[in-house]
Amino acid sequence: MSQAPSERWKPVRLAAKVIGHVSQGMYRTPAGAIKELVSNAYDAGATYIKIHTGFPTFGEFTCEDDGSGIHPNEFTRLMMGGIGDSKKQSSRESRVGRFDRPIIGRLGVGLLSLAQICSEFKIVSYHKASRKAFAASIRFPAYTRKDVDSAIKKAAKSGEKFIETGQYSLKPIKYVEGQTGVTITTTFVREAFRKTMGNLAHFGNLRFNKTNRSYAHFGEFLDSISNPELSALFFLSPYDQFLFGLGLAAPLPYPETDGQTRSTCVLSVPGVVKLQKTLKSYNFSLEVDNVSFRRPVVLPSNKLGTRTDQCELSGSPVSETFKLVDGPHESEQKVLKYVVKVDNSDEKYQLLWLSYEARVNGYPMKFSGYVFNQTTRLFPKEYQGILVRLRNIAIGQYDPNFLVYPQAEGPRFSMVSSEIFVEEGLDDSLKVDRDGFNTLDPQYIRLQAYIHGLLHDIVFPSIWEEEKPRNERRRAARRRSNMKRFAKNVSRITKTKIKKVKVVSGSTAEDENVAEVDTRSGTVFINSDKAESSGVFGRKKFNGIAQQVIAAFEIAVCEPTVEKRREVFYQLLRGVFE
Ligand SMILES: Nc1ncnc2c1ncn2[C@@H]1O[C@H](COP(=O)(O)OP(=O)(O)OP(=O)(O)O)[C@@H](O)[C@H]1O
Ligand SMILES: [Mg+2]
């Protein structure tokens, strides 16, 4: 460490074209950056990656995997301009890794994401195949927008293919028999990362379990983030958000009932059961601060705290069709619809299983997935929307705009949660930061058209349909309780006893009033066909209020003096709008 840089340190050469990538990638969230390390371990055939964030001070960040390790020559190649030139996926065979995992890496820029978290890191690698090991250190400058712009200018001017930015040093170490994998230790964690993560004022464990120790197990974390008191993860600490983002992004199976974790209702759909089996067969685990992670998806997730075990999925699905319209391309698509019944409730949730396969823009495209909806808002908010996964890695977070759904659906957007599993295609629509898609890519546009068609033709109409009778029942109950309150006010303020207000129609004698108070039956009759009342009952929504206002007026005019009439009317009116 104490030697002069010139003696041991060599410059890191970045292919000039990479600088542009870096500039796009540098605004990633901590989870987005660390997900690259998880992907690399997974690609290297590791059965685990163990991450230590340095909680609660976040002064040192480490990760360790038991993958293939890196050959020292490959590492040197990377440092000598090989960044941005991934050798993964160069052939058909290399697209599938150990345990039949679909390989994630394509570009060769993932490692650079570490530059966002630290200015210097150490990497120790044991490469089992060659029985070679090395320890290296890398120093990265902070890639600010200004640095990147000036580097691009410089490279363009001189026509250079490489840019020297940062330094690295490498020394071989003795290979230890049986040892395999990579360990990364960050020695200089960036101030911004440390400060952001170190803000634990809203740490979930502190808020819900009154302790500031880190989560003891995954169930504890899951309970915190799906606590019905929490409207959005935004209100928890950046550390909670980091854990959620990383767990969501990683190629992990869903939680299962095993005492500590619980399963999610979507698991019982055959499509997800099959996916779960595949995910488990990848034999990959992620540990963060000694907590073994699963996919942190909890559905349903509402304010009432409705649990998975209160939901029952209808055994046999029905097939439904919708129209997929993508420019001149039109086709009919089928999805499977399952009804989810909720114990002791008139609510009915819905789960759709979808799959699609076609050639788009000359290349194959294949995806499957589910769209789940409940009858009220999903909490925390971060489950609302659609999450697209490429080779099991999440691209960004749930998108609450549903790939820019063009129509207004009000609160119904917030009741829907969906995951789309892309098996083939969309690679070229992926942005370099792997947090989003190029929205002009034909395959992305096809996916978008599919989702929009499905939401428009099936999902939203069935939510409306499901809501209608329940909303009608709730409105009727509200009307009844309002009327009760009104009647109570009337008997408190005047001596008149009434039970209800009734709207009648039909022509009556000219001299009859709009309303009559029938004290015997305790009913105020309002005639909606009189000239005075015409148009008052035009909007169904306001009928209840209109009735009470008219009744208040008619009751008030029965009072003997002008002052008394005015007093009673305003008192009754106050009760109406209370
Ligand atoms: N944990 C690891 N185990 C073994 N090899 C690794 C590990 N991390 C990185 N590598 C090697 O370093 C290379 C660069 O990693 P990097 O993430 O930058 O690129 P990539 O994975 O090839 O592509 P992408 O940018 O799409 O992730 C990899 O191709 C791999 O050879
Ligand atoms: Mg990678």
Side-chain angles (χ1 to χ4, degrees):
M1 278 312 294
S2 55
Q3 290 186 43
S6 56
E7 287 173 36
R8 289 178 50 214
W9 291 84
K10 302 184 186 90
V12 175
R13 298 169 82 191
L14 286 189
K17 64 175 185 185
V18 170
I19 284 290
H21 297 336
V22 178
S23 72
Q24 285 189 43
M26 67 187 174
Y27 295 116
R28 249 189 267 213
T29 58
I34 301 308
K35 133 183 147 180
E36 294 300 336
L37 302 182
V38 177
S39 304
N40 282 348
Y42 174 86
D43 282 352
T47 63
Y48 67 78
I49 178 165
K50 292 178 183 173
I51 291 173
H52 288 275
T53 61
F55 177 97
T57 53
F58 303 94
E60 192 185 71
F61 180 96
T62 63
C63 76
E64 176 204 331
D65 69 57
D66 67 343
S68 62
I70 309 178
H71 192 284
N73 294 353
E74 165 66 1
F75 184 78
T76 311
R77 183 190 75 83
L78 284 173
M79 294 299 110
M80 299 289 290
I83 291 179
D85 180 20
S86 179
K87 295 292 174 224
K88 290 179 190 172
Q89 305 207 31
S90 50
S91 65
R92 214 181 157 72
E93 299 77 61
S94 61
R95 262 169 235 146
V96 180
R98 197 176 170 209
F99 303 115
D100 279 339
R101 295 175 186 169
I103 293 297
I104 301 156
R106 278 180 86 228
L107 305 169
V109 296
L111 264 184
L112 280 185
S113 65
L114 254 186
Q116 274 185 54
I117 287 173
C118 61
S119 52
E120 184 170 332
F121 65 91
K122 212 174 129 185
I123 174 165
V124 174
S125 159
Y126 290 88
H127 190 245
K128 201 174 176 182
S130 64
R131 305 181 73 252
K132 284 198 157 87
F134 69 86
S137 291
I138 303 178
R139 283 178 187 162
F140 276 133
Y143 292 112
T144 64
R145 170 73 64 189
K146 228 166 124 191
D147 293 342
V148 170
D149 285 347
S150 78
I152 292 172
K153 250 191 221 148
K154 225 172 102 188
K157 232 190 214 160
S158 59
E160 275 174 51
K161 265 181 76 188
F162 297 103
I163 290 163
E164 291 186 355
T165 170
Q167 295 171 307
Y168 80 98
S169 76
L170 179 143
K171 69 166 192 280
I173 57 171
K174 197 170 166 330
Y175 179 75
V176 180
E177 206 51 55
Q179 187 86 299
T180 190
V182 165
T183 304
I184 292 173
T185 316
T186 62
T187 20
F188 294 91
V189 176
R190 289 200 194 285
E191 183 76 4
F193 177 77
R194 224 175 37 222
K195 268 206 174 136
T196 313
M197 295 285 274
N199 179 1
L200 291 164
H202 302 288
F203 178 39
N205 224 6
L206 185 64
R207 175 159 168 195
F208 298 118
N209 300 320
K210 306 279 171 277
T211 169
N212 49 20
R213 63 159 167 75
S214 63
Y215 291 111
H217 53 80
F218 185 63
E220 196 170 64
F221 166 68
L222 213 53
D223 283 342
S224 280
I225 63 163
S226 59
N227 191 303
E229 273 177 43
L230 187 69
S231 57
L233 282 184
F234 180 81
F235 299 112
L236 284 191
S237 70
Y239 178 66
D240 291 287
Q241 292 170 41
F242 166 80
L243 294 180
F244 177 71
L246 191 60
L248 201 66
L252 299 170
Y254 293 89
E256 290 177 336
T257 314
D258 62 12
Q260 285 193 341
T261 55
R262 56 192 153 165
S263 51
T264 54
C265 85
V266 290
L267 267 183
S268 39
V269 190
V272 183
V273 170
K274 192 168 155 228
L275 174 73
Q276 172 80 343
K277 227 169 139 185
T278 310
L279 288 167
K280 278 161 86 174
S281 75
Y282 294 150
N283 211 352
F284 182 69
S285 73
L286 163 70
E287 230 179 64
V288 188
D289 295 333
N290 304 319
V291 171
S292 181
F293 267 68
R294 287 277 176 128
R295 193 174 287 193
V297 174
V298 179
L299 299 174
S301 179
N302 57 19
K303 278 266 171 201
L304 293 171
T306 304
R307 297 180 322 267
T308 307
D309 58 8
Q310 294 173 291
C311 299
E312 200 191 327
L313 206 75
S314 68
S316 44
V318 279
S319 175
E320 296 228 347
T321 54
F322 71 94
K323 210 158 142 200
L324 164 64
V325 185
D326 174 12
H329 171 92
E330 278 190 24
S331 58
E332 196 151 90
Q333 297 296 324
K334 278 193 168 54
V335 293
L336 291 178
K337 178 169 160 177
Y338 296 82
V339 173
V340 185
K341 284 206 213 104
V342 187
D343 275 0
N344 304 323
S345 164
D346 60 353
E347 296 189 6
K348 264 195 208 127
Y349 304 159
Q350 179 179 280
L351 192 67
L352 300 175
W353 178 258
L354 58 96
S355 52
Y356 182 73
E357 198 171 350
R359 279 186 92 79
V360 181
N361 205 29
Y363 294 96
M365 180 180 185
K366 193 176 168 190
F367 60 80
S368 56
Y370 68 83
V371 178
F372 169 81
N373 78 263
Q374 53 187 49
T375 53
T376 50
R377 247 164 241 259
L378 281 142
F379 289 99
K381 202 173 179 309
E382 284 74 5
Y383 285 131
Q384 300 170 8
I386 184 169
L387 183 70
V388 181
R389 293 178 176 276
L390 231 62
R391 284 178 234 96
N392 304 312
I393 294 278
I395 307 307
Q397 303 221 344
Y398 283 91
D399 169 14
N401 294 322
F402 292 90
L403 317 179
V404 202
Y405 187 80
Q407 265 122 347
E409 287 292 344
R412 270 153 291 276
F413 284 120
S414 61
M415 304 172 184
V416 180
S417 186
S418 164
E419 278 183 279
I420 303 297
F421 315 112
V422 179
E423 285 161 58
E424 230 181 325
L426 278 159
D427 280 319
D428 297 328
S429 10
L430 195 60
K431 283 197 197 161
V432 178
D433 64 6
R434 270 176 282 229
D435 263 3
F437 292 99
N438 166 10
T439 51
L440 295 177
D441 184 274
Q443 291 202 328
Y444 174 81
I445 292 172
R446 178 62 57 87
L447 170 69
Q448 191 180 34
Y450 182 99
I451 296 300
H452 291 178
L454 175 62
L455 291 174
H456 180 266
D457 290 2
I458 301 177
V459 180
F460 291 134
S462 51
I463 300 182
W464 277 105
E465 212 45 52
E466 203 274 341
E467 277 177 344
K468 237 186 347 201
R470 191 184 29 260
N471 286 348
E472 188 41 56
R473 272 198 303 280
R474 284 187 186 162
R475 264 198 300 276
R478 208 159 37 229
R479 271 199 303 271
R480 276 196 302 275
S481 88
N482 281 348
M483 188 48 73
K484 234 175 160 171
R485 198 182 58 201
F486 180 71
K488 227 166 114 187
N489 282 339
V490 170
S491 44
R492 183 172 53 83
I493 295 161
T494 71
K495 285 185 185 63
T496 324
K497 290 258 173 293
I498 66 150
K499 278 198 219 115
K500 56 183 177 224
V501 179
K502 215 169 166 182
V503 179
V504 292
S505 60
S507 53
T508 47
E510 278 288 297
D511 58 345
E512 244 174 52
N513 286 330
V514 181
E516 297 288 342
V517 185
D518 178 16
T519 44
R520 258 182 316 134
S521 64
T523 309
V524 182
F525 289 100
I526 301 172
N527 193 321
S528 59
D529 281 349
K530 297 293 281 188
E532 297 95 321
S533 60
S534 88
V536 175
F537 298 106
R539 296 267 316 261
K540 211 174 149 197
K541 194 174 159 188
F542 300 125
N543 279 3
I545 285 190
Q547 284 174 28
Q548 291 181 31
V549 172
I550 294 174
F553 177 79
E554 295 298 337
I555 290 167
V557 293
C558 296
E559 295 296 326
T561 64
V562 173
E563 287 75 25
K564 195 78 193 140
R565 279 174 219 147
R566 182 174 286 135
E567 189 194 316
V568 166
F569 179 69
Y570 281 105
Q571 274 188 12
L572 287 175
L573 209 56
R574 207 166 296 131
V576 173
F577 293 105
E578 218 164 34

PDB file of all heavy atoms in Angstrom, residues 194-215:
ATOM      1  N   ARG A 194     -21.681   6.119   1.588  1.00  0.00           N
ATOM      2  CA  ARG A 194     -21.641   5.918   3.030  1.00  0.00           C
ATOM      3  C   ARG A 194     -22.695   6.770   3.740  1.00  0.00           C
ATOM      4  O   ARG A 194     -23.389   6.319   4.637  1.00  0.00           O
ATOM      5  CB  ARG A 194     -20.252   6.253   3.551  1.00  0.00           C
ATOM      6  CG  ARG A 194     -19.774   5.219   4.536  1.00  0.00           C
ATOM      7  CD  ARG A 194     -18.372   5.414   5.019  1.00  0.00           C
ATOM      8  NE  ARG A 194     -17.987   6.774   5.200  1.00  0.00           N
ATOM      9  CZ  ARG A 194     -16.795   7.255   4.828  1.00  0.00           C
ATOM     10  NH1 ARG A 194     -15.933   6.452   4.222  1.00  0.00           N
ATOM     11  NH2 ARG A 194     -16.483   8.494   5.040  1.00  0.00           N
ATOM     12  N   LYS A 195     -22.781   7.996   3.286  1.00  0.00           N
ATOM     13  CA  LYS A 195     -23.723   8.928   3.933  1.00  0.00           C
ATOM     14  C   LYS A 195     -25.171   8.518   3.677  1.00  0.00           C
ATOM     15  O   LYS A 195     -25.994   8.504   4.585  1.00  0.00           O
ATOM     16  CB  LYS A 195     -23.494  10.346   3.385  1.00  0.00           C
ATOM     17  CG  LYS A 195     -22.531  11.138   4.211  1.00  0.00           C
ATOM     18  CD  LYS A 195     -22.815  12.622   4.040  1.00  0.00           C
ATOM     19  CE  LYS A 195     -21.960  13.448   4.961  1.00  0.00           C
ATOM     20  NZ  LYS A 195     -21.399  14.605   4.269  1.00  0.00           N
ATOM     21  N   THR A 196     -25.463   8.197   2.415  1.00  0.00           N
ATOM     22  CA  THR A 196     -26.832   7.819   2.060  1.00  0.00           C
ATOM     23  C   THR A 196     -27.247   6.569   2.828  1.00  0.00           C
ATOM     24  O   THR A 196     -28.283   6.542   3.497  1.00  0.00           O
ATOM     25  CB  THR A 196     -26.941   7.517   0.546  1.00  0.00           C
ATOM     26  OG1 THR A 196     -26.290   8.557  -0.147  1.00  0.00           O
ATOM     27  CG2 THR A 196     -28.370   7.404   0.093  1.00  0.00           C
ATOM     28  N   MET A 197     -26.424   5.531   2.743  1.00  0.00           N
ATOM     29  CA  MET A 197     -26.782   4.266   3.374  1.00  0.00           C
ATOM     30  C   MET A 197     -26.762   4.386   4.895  1.00  0.00           C
ATOM     31  O   MET A 197     -27.506   3.688   5.587  1.00  0.00           O
ATOM     32  CB  MET A 197     -25.812   3.171   2.923  1.00  0.00           C
ATOM     33  CG  MET A 197     -25.903   2.874   1.449  1.00  0.00           C
ATOM     34  SD  MET A 197     -27.364   1.925   1.024  1.00  0.00           S
ATOM     35  CE  MET A 197     -26.763   0.283   1.321  1.00  0.00           C
ATOM     36  N   GLY A 198     -25.896   5.253   5.388  1.00  0.00           N
ATOM     37  CA  GLY A 198     -25.739   5.392   6.835  1.00  0.00           C
ATOM     38  C   GLY A 198     -26.915   6.089   7.509  1.00  0.00           C
ATOM     39  O   GLY A 198     -27.025   6.092   8.730  1.00  0.00           O
ATOM     40  N   ASN A 199     -27.802   6.641   6.704  1.00  0.00           N
ATOM     41  CA  ASN A 199     -28.974   7.296   7.282  1.00  0.00           C
ATOM     42  C   ASN A 199     -30.030   6.240   7.637  1.00  0.00           C
ATOM     43  O   ASN A 199     -30.825   5.828   6.801  1.00  0.00           O
ATOM     44  CB  ASN A 199     -29.535   8.311   6.281  1.00  0.00           C
ATOM     45  CG  ASN A 199     -30.767   9.006   6.821  1.00  0.00           C
ATOM     46  OD1 ASN A 199     -31.205   8.746   7.950  1.00  0.00           O
ATOM     47  ND2 ASN A 199     -31.341   9.871   6.015  1.00  0.00           N
ATOM     48  N   LEU A 200     -29.988   5.823   8.891  1.00  0.00           N
ATOM     49  CA  LEU A 200     -30.855   4.715   9.319  1.00  0.00           C
ATOM     50  C   LEU A 200     -32.022   5.185  10.190  1.00  0.00           C
ATOM     51  O   LEU A 200     -32.636   4.387  10.896  1.00  0.00           O
ATOM     52  CB  LEU A 200     -30.025   3.664  10.068  1.00  0.00           C
ATOM     53  CG  LEU A 200     -29.039   2.893   9.177  1.00  0.00           C
ATOM     54  CD1 LEU A 200     -28.006   2.161  10.012  1.00  0.00           C
ATOM     55  CD2 LEU A 200     -29.774   1.902   8.273  1.00  0.00           C
ATOM     56  N   ALA A 201     -32.311   6.483  10.110  1.00  0.00           N
ATOM     57  CA  ALA A 201     -33.393   7.035  10.938  1.00  0.00           C
ATOM     58  C   ALA A 201     -34.711   6.308  10.666  1.00  0.00           C
ATOM     59  O   ALA A 201     -35.531   6.131  11.563  1.00  0.00           O
ATOM     60  CB  ALA A 201     -33.541   8.525  10.663  1.00  0.00           C
ATOM     61  N   HIS A 202     -34.917   5.864   9.430  1.00  0.00           N
ATOM     62  CA  HIS A 202     -36.180   5.197   9.088  1.00  0.00           C
ATOM     63  C   HIS A 202     -35.984   3.716   8.780  1.00  0.00           C
ATOM     64  O   HIS A 202     -36.703   3.130   7.987  1.00  0.00           O
ATOM     65  CB  HIS A 202     -36.833   5.912   7.897  1.00  0.00           C
ATOM     66  CG  HIS A 202     -37.094   7.352   8.173  1.00  0.00           C
ATOM     67  ND1 HIS A 202     -38.070   7.771   9.031  1.00  0.00           N
ATOM     68  CD2 HIS A 202     -36.471   8.475   7.723  1.00  0.00           C
ATOM     69  CE1 HIS A 202     -38.055   9.086   9.104  1.00  0.00           C
ATOM     70  NE2 HIS A 202     -37.087   9.537   8.324  1.00  0.00           N
ATOM     71  N   PHE A 203     -34.973   3.141   9.392  1.00  0.00           N
ATOM     72  CA  PHE A 203     -34.684   1.717   9.200  1.00  0.00           C
ATOM     73  C   PHE A 203     -35.906   0.874   9.612  1.00  0.00           C
ATOM     74  O   PHE A 203     -36.472   1.083  10.684  1.00  0.00           O
ATOM     75  CB  PHE A 203     -33.441   1.364  10.027  1.00  0.00           C
ATOM     76  CG  PHE A 203     -33.039  -0.076   9.985  1.00  0.00           C
ATOM     77  CD1 PHE A 203     -33.114  -0.806   8.806  1.00  0.00           C
ATOM     78  CD2 PHE A 203     -32.555  -0.706  11.124  1.00  0.00           C
ATOM     79  CE1 PHE A 203     -32.732  -2.132   8.764  1.00  0.00           C
ATOM     80  CE2 PHE A 203     -32.172  -2.037  11.095  1.00  0.00           C
ATOM     81  CZ  PHE A 203     -32.262  -2.750   9.918  1.00  0.00           C
ATOM     82  N   GLY A 204     -36.286  -0.045   8.752  1.00  0.00           N
ATOM     83  CA  GLY A 204     -37.489  -0.845   8.975  1.00  0.00           C
ATOM     84  C   GLY A 204     -37.490  -1.600  10.295  1.00  0.00           C
ATOM     85  O   GLY A 204     -38.504  -1.697  10.984  1.00  0.00           O
ATOM     86  N   ASN A 205     -36.337  -2.161  10.660  1.00  0.00           N
ATOM     87  CA  ASN A 205     -36.259  -2.933  11.896  1.00  0.00           C
ATOM     88  C   ASN A 205     -36.443  -2.033  13.114  1.00  0.00           C
ATOM     89  O   ASN A 205     -36.992  -2.453  14.126  1.00  0.00           O
ATOM     90  CB  ASN A 205     -34.903  -3.641  11.970  1.00  0.00           C
ATOM     91  CG  ASN A 205     -35.048  -5.083  12.421  1.00  0.00           C
ATOM     92  OD1 ASN A 205     -36.158  -5.587  12.576  1.00  0.00           O
ATOM     93  ND2 ASN A 205     -33.926  -5.748  12.633  1.00  0.00           N
ATOM     94  N   LEU A 206     -35.984  -0.796  12.976  1.00  0.00           N
ATOM     95  CA  LEU A 206     -36.134   0.165  14.062  1.00  0.00           C
ATOM     96  C   LEU A 206     -37.594   0.580  14.173  1.00  0.00           C
ATOM     97  O   LEU A 206     -38.188   0.620  15.248  1.00  0.00           O
ATOM     98  CB  LEU A 206     -35.245   1.380  13.782  1.00  0.00           C
ATOM     99  CG  LEU A 206     -35.176   2.450  14.855  1.00  0.00           C
ATOM    100  CD1 LEU A 206     -34.547   1.891  16.123  1.00  0.00           C
ATOM    101  CD2 LEU A 206     -34.348   3.642  14.362  1.00  0.00           C
ATOM    102  N   ARG A 207     -38.178   0.837  13.018  1.00  0.00           N
ATOM    103  CA  ARG A 207     -39.555   1.325  13.006  1.00  0.00           C
ATOM    104  C   ARG A 207     -40.556   0.267  13.472  1.00  0.00           C
ATOM    105  O   ARG A 207     -41.441   0.556  14.261  1.00  0.00           O
ATOM    106  CB  ARG A 207     -39.900   1.796  11.583  1.00  0.00           C
ATOM    107  CG  ARG A 207     -41.331   2.192  11.443  1.00  0.00           C
ATOM    108  CD  ARG A 207     -41.595   3.110  10.282  1.00  0.00           C
ATOM    109  NE  ARG A 207     -43.019   3.207  10.078  1.00  0.00           N
ATOM    110  CZ  ARG A 207     -43.593   3.682   8.999  1.00  0.00           C
ATOM    111  NH1 ARG A 207     -42.841   4.131   8.014  1.00  0.00           N
ATOM    112  NH2 ARG A 207     -44.890   3.722   8.886  1.00  0.00           N
ATOM    113  N   PHE A 208     -40.381  -0.960  13.005  1.00  0.00           N
ATOM    114  CA  PHE A 208     -41.406  -1.964  13.305  1.00  0.00           C
ATOM    115  C   PHE A 208     -41.025  -2.918  14.432  1.00  0.00           C
ATOM    116  O   PHE A 208     -41.878  -3.533  15.052  1.00  0.00           O
ATOM    117  CB  PHE A 208     -41.746  -2.753  12.040  1.00  0.00           C
ATOM    118  CG  PHE A 208     -42.320  -1.891  10.960  1.00  0.00           C
ATOM    119  CD1 PHE A 208     -41.670  -1.748   9.740  1.00  0.00           C
ATOM    120  CD2 PHE A 208     -43.504  -1.198  11.166  1.00  0.00           C
ATOM    121  CE1 PHE A 208     -42.193  -0.928   8.749  1.00  0.00           C
ATOM    122  CE2 PHE A 208     -44.030  -0.379  10.184  1.00  0.00           C
ATOM    123  CZ  PHE A 208     -43.375  -0.240   8.969  1.00  0.00           C
ATOM    124  N   ASN A 209     -39.734  -3.089  14.678  1.00  0.00           N
ATOM    125  CA  ASN A 209     -39.329  -4.032  15.727  1.00  0.00           C
ATOM    126  C   ASN A 209     -38.543  -3.361  16.848  1.00  0.00           C
ATOM    127  O   ASN A 209     -38.015  -4.043  17.733  1.00  0.00           O
ATOM    128  CB  ASN A 209     -38.500  -5.169  15.116  1.00  0.00           C
ATOM    129  CG  ASN A 209     -39.285  -5.933  14.069  1.00  0.00           C
ATOM    130  OD1 ASN A 209     -40.475  -6.196  14.236  1.00  0.00           O
ATOM    131  ND2 ASN A 209     -38.642  -6.259  12.960  1.00  0.00           N
ATOM    132  N   LYS A 210     -38.426  -2.040  16.747  1.00  0.00           N
ATOM    133  CA  LYS A 210     -37.769  -1.251  17.799  1.00  0.00           C
ATOM    134  C   LYS A 210     -36.352  -1.730  18.108  1.00  0.00           C
ATOM    135  O   LYS A 210     -35.921  -1.781  19.262  1.00  0.00           O
ATOM    136  CB  LYS A 210     -38.608  -1.259  19.105  1.00  0.00           C
ATOM    137  CG  LYS A 210     -40.042  -0.806  18.914  1.00  0.00           C
ATOM    138  CD  LYS A 210     -40.147   0.708  18.881  1.00  0.00           C
ATOM    139  CE  LYS A 210     -41.523   1.181  18.482  1.00  0.00           C
ATOM    140  NZ  LYS A 210     -41.802   1.234  17.039  1.00  0.00           N
ATOM    141  N   THR A 211     -35.656  -2.132  17.080  1.00  0.00           N
ATOM    142  CA  THR A 211     -34.256  -2.518  17.283  1.00  0.00           C
ATOM    143  C   THR A 211     -33.425  -1.975  16.124  1.00  0.00           C
ATOM    144  O   THR A 211     -33.909  -1.919  14.994  1.00  0.00           O
ATOM    145  CB  THR A 211     -34.075  -4.051  17.372  1.00  0.00           C
ATOM    146  OG1 THR A 211     -32.677  -4.345  17.318  1.00  0.00           O
ATOM    147  CG2 THR A 211     -34.763  -4.791  16.235  1.00  0.00           C
ATOM    148  N   ASN A 212     -32.178  -1.584  16.425  1.00  0.00           N
ATOM    149  CA  ASN A 212     -31.364  -1.084  15.313  1.00  0.00           C
ATOM    150  C   ASN A 212     -30.329  -2.094  14.846  1.00  0.00           C
ATOM    151  O   ASN A 212     -29.410  -1.749  14.110  1.00  0.00           O
ATOM    152  CB  ASN A 212     -30.736   0.276  15.638  1.00  0.00           C
ATOM    153  CG  ASN A 212     -30.057   0.265  16.977  1.00  0.00           C
ATOM    154  OD1 ASN A 212     -29.728  -0.818  17.492  1.00  0.00           O
ATOM    155  ND2 ASN A 212     -29.860   1.430  17.559  1.00  0.00           N
ATOM    156  N   ARG A 213     -30.481  -3.342  15.269  1.00  0.00           N
ATOM    157  CA  ARG A 213     -29.589  -4.363  14.691  1.00  0.00           C
ATOM    158  C   ARG A 213     -30.085  -4.699  13.283  1.00  0.00           C
ATOM    159  O   ARG A 213     -31.253  -4.450  12.958  1.00  0.00           O
ATOM    160  CB  ARG A 213     -29.538  -5.608  15.580  1.00  0.00           C
ATOM    161  CG  ARG A 213     -30.879  -6.303  15.703  1.00  0.00           C
ATOM    162  CD  ARG A 213     -30.798  -7.741  16.124  1.00  0.00           C
ATOM    163  NE  ARG A 213     -32.116  -8.235  16.508  1.00  0.00           N
ATOM    164  CZ  ARG A 213     -33.094  -8.546  15.664  1.00  0.00           C
ATOM    165  NH1 ARG A 213     -32.910  -8.416  14.359  1.00  0.00           N
ATOM    166  NH2 ARG A 213     -34.261  -8.984  16.106  1.00  0.00           N
ATOM    167  N   SER A 214     -29.206  -5.265  12.471  1.00  0.00           N
ATOM    168  CA  SER A 214     -29.614  -5.586  11.099  1.00  0.00           C
ATOM    169  C   SER A 214     -30.616  -6.746  11.136  1.00  0.00           C
ATOM    170  O   SER A 214     -30.777  -7.410  12.161  1.00  0.00           O
ATOM    171  CB  SER A 214     -28.399  -5.937  10.248  1.00  0.00           C
ATOM    172  OG  SER A 214     -27.783  -7.094  10.747  1.00  0.00           O
ATOM    173  N   TYR A 215     -31.288  -6.996  10.043  1.00  0.00           N
ATOM    174  CA  TYR A 215     -32.320  -8.040  10.012  1.00  0.00           C
ATOM    175  C   TYR A 215     -31.714  -9.398  10.350  1.00  0.00           C
ATOM    176  O   TYR A 215     -30.640  -9.741   9.863  1.00  0.00           O
ATOM    177  CB  TYR A 215     -32.983  -8.095   8.639  1.00  0.00           C
ATOM    178  CG  TYR A 215     -33.830  -6.869   8.351  1.00  0.00           C
ATOM    179  CD1 TYR A 215     -33.436  -5.945   7.389  1.00  0.00           C
ATOM    180  CD2 TYR A 215     -35.002  -6.633   9.062  1.00  0.00           C
ATOM    181  CE1 TYR A 215     -34.204  -4.814   7.133  1.00  0.00           C
ATOM    182  CE2 TYR A 215     -35.772  -5.513   8.814  1.00  0.00           C
ATOM    183  CZ  TYR A 215     -35.373  -4.602   7.843  1.00  0.00           C
ATOM    184  OH  TYR A 215     -36.135  -3.498   7.607  1.00  0.00           O
TER     185      TYR A 215
END
